[in-house]
Short mmCIF file of all heavy atoms in Angstrom, two decimals:
data_model
loop_
_atom_site.label_atom_id
_atom_site.label_comp_id
_atom_site.label_asym_id
_atom_site.label_seq_id
_atom_site.Cartn_x
_atom_site.Cartn_y
_atom_site.Cartn_z
N THR A 42 4.86 11.03 21.63
CA THR A 42 3.74 10.41 21.68
C THR A 42 2.56 11.30 21.57
O THR A 42 2.76 12.58 22.03
CB THR A 42 3.59 9.59 23.02
OG1 THR A 42 3.24 10.49 24.10
CG2 THR A 42 4.71 8.68 23.31
N TYR A 43 1.47 10.92 21.03
CA TYR A 43 0.27 11.74 20.77
C TYR A 43 -0.92 10.90 21.18
O TYR A 43 -0.99 9.81 20.73
CB TYR A 43 0.21 12.16 19.35
CG TYR A 43 1.54 12.47 18.59
CD1 TYR A 43 2.14 11.58 17.87
CD2 TYR A 43 2.25 13.69 19.03
CE1 TYR A 43 3.35 11.82 17.30
CE2 TYR A 43 3.42 13.95 18.46
CZ TYR A 43 4.09 12.93 17.52
OH TYR A 43 5.27 13.26 17.02
N GLY A 44 -1.86 11.66 21.88
CA GLY A 44 -3.04 10.74 22.30
C GLY A 44 -2.67 10.31 23.62
O GLY A 44 -1.69 10.36 24.22
N THR A 45 -3.70 9.38 24.11
CA THR A 45 -3.52 8.76 25.46
C THR A 45 -3.58 7.21 25.35
O THR A 45 -4.55 6.65 24.69
CB THR A 45 -4.72 9.16 26.35
OG1 THR A 45 -4.77 10.62 26.23
CG2 THR A 45 -4.47 8.78 27.86
N LEU A 46 -2.57 6.54 25.91
CA LEU A 46 -2.67 5.12 26.01
C LEU A 46 -3.86 4.69 26.96
O LEU A 46 -3.87 5.17 28.07
CB LEU A 46 -1.25 4.63 26.52
CG LEU A 46 -1.06 3.13 26.58
CD1 LEU A 46 -1.10 2.65 25.15
CD2 LEU A 46 0.15 2.71 27.21
N ASN A 47 -4.57 3.79 26.44
CA ASN A 47 -5.75 3.38 27.24
C ASN A 47 -5.41 2.34 28.38
O ASN A 47 -4.13 1.99 28.37
CB ASN A 47 -6.84 2.88 26.37
CG ASN A 47 -6.44 1.54 25.69
OD1 ASN A 47 -5.56 0.98 25.88
ND2 ASN A 47 -7.38 1.18 24.51
N ALA A 48 -6.17 2.03 29.30
CA ALA A 48 -5.85 1.21 30.42
C ALA A 48 -5.35 -0.05 29.96
O ALA A 48 -4.33 -0.59 30.65
CB ALA A 48 -7.10 1.02 31.30
N SER A 49 -5.88 -0.70 29.06
CA SER A 49 -5.37 -2.05 28.56
C SER A 49 -4.12 -1.93 27.62
O SER A 49 -3.58 -3.00 27.26
CB SER A 49 -6.41 -2.80 27.96
OG SER A 49 -6.98 -2.15 26.83
N GLY A 50 -3.80 -0.72 27.28
CA GLY A 50 -2.68 -0.62 26.33
C GLY A 50 -2.81 -1.11 24.97
O GLY A 50 -1.91 -1.39 24.28
N SER A 51 -4.19 -1.09 24.55
CA SER A 51 -4.53 -1.69 23.32
C SER A 51 -4.67 -0.82 22.18
O SER A 51 -4.92 -1.28 20.99
CB SER A 51 -5.83 -2.55 23.43
OG SER A 51 -6.81 -1.63 23.78
N ASN A 52 -4.38 0.55 22.40
CA ASN A 52 -4.70 1.57 21.29
C ASN A 52 -3.49 2.16 20.82
O ASN A 52 -3.51 3.28 20.24
CB ASN A 52 -5.72 2.52 21.83
CG ASN A 52 -5.17 3.51 22.88
OD1 ASN A 52 -4.17 3.12 23.59
ND2 ASN A 52 -5.61 4.67 22.98
N ALA A 53 -2.35 1.47 20.97
CA ALA A 53 -1.13 2.04 20.51
C ALA A 53 -0.71 1.85 19.14
O ALA A 53 -0.77 0.72 18.53
CB ALA A 53 0.12 1.55 21.44
N VAL A 54 -0.27 2.94 18.42
CA VAL A 54 0.11 2.79 17.08
C VAL A 54 1.59 3.22 16.90
O VAL A 54 1.80 4.44 17.34
CB VAL A 54 -0.74 3.55 16.05
CG1 VAL A 54 -0.19 3.67 14.68
CG2 VAL A 54 -2.16 3.02 16.04
N LEU A 55 2.50 2.52 16.26
CA LEU A 55 3.77 2.89 16.12
C LEU A 55 3.96 3.49 14.69
O LEU A 55 3.58 2.82 13.69
CB LEU A 55 4.82 1.81 16.28
CG LEU A 55 6.22 2.09 16.06
CD1 LEU A 55 6.90 3.17 17.07
CD2 LEU A 55 7.19 0.69 16.09
N VAL A 56 4.56 4.82 14.51
CA VAL A 56 4.74 5.22 13.16
C VAL A 56 6.23 5.10 12.91
O VAL A 56 7.01 5.83 13.59
CB VAL A 56 4.23 6.68 13.09
CG1 VAL A 56 4.57 7.27 11.76
CG2 VAL A 56 2.82 6.83 13.43
N CYS A 57 6.68 4.53 11.91
CA CYS A 57 8.01 4.31 11.57
C CYS A 57 8.48 5.32 10.53
O CYS A 57 7.69 5.52 9.52
CB CYS A 57 8.37 2.86 10.98
SG CYS A 57 7.83 1.65 12.21
N HIS A 58 9.73 5.99 10.67
CA HIS A 58 9.92 6.95 9.69
C HIS A 58 10.83 6.47 8.54
O HIS A 58 11.47 5.42 8.63
CB HIS A 58 10.67 8.24 10.31
CG HIS A 58 12.02 7.96 11.07
ND1 HIS A 58 13.06 7.81 10.25
CD2 HIS A 58 12.36 7.79 12.32
CE1 HIS A 58 14.16 7.61 11.06
NE2 HIS A 58 13.85 7.59 12.34
N ALA A 59 10.94 7.29 7.53
CA ALA A 59 11.71 6.97 6.25
C ALA A 59 13.19 7.48 6.34
O ALA A 59 13.59 7.88 7.42
CB ALA A 59 10.94 7.54 5.12
N LEU A 60 13.94 7.43 5.29
CA LEU A 60 15.16 7.85 5.36
C LEU A 60 15.58 9.14 6.13
O LEU A 60 16.49 9.02 6.91
CB LEU A 60 15.74 7.85 3.82
CG LEU A 60 17.14 8.35 3.58
CD1 LEU A 60 18.12 7.55 4.23
CD2 LEU A 60 17.38 8.38 2.02
N SER A 61 14.87 10.12 5.81
CA SER A 61 15.28 11.45 6.45
C SER A 61 14.36 11.98 7.58
O SER A 61 14.48 13.02 8.05
CB SER A 61 15.33 12.46 5.24
OG SER A 61 14.05 12.70 4.75
#
Side-chain angles (χ1 to χ4, degrees):
Chain A
T42 70
Y43 323 104
T45 310
L46 186 64
N47 63 15
S49 57
S51 66
N52 68 334
V54 174
L55 177 65
V56 177
C57 306
H58 67 74
L60 176 54
S61 59

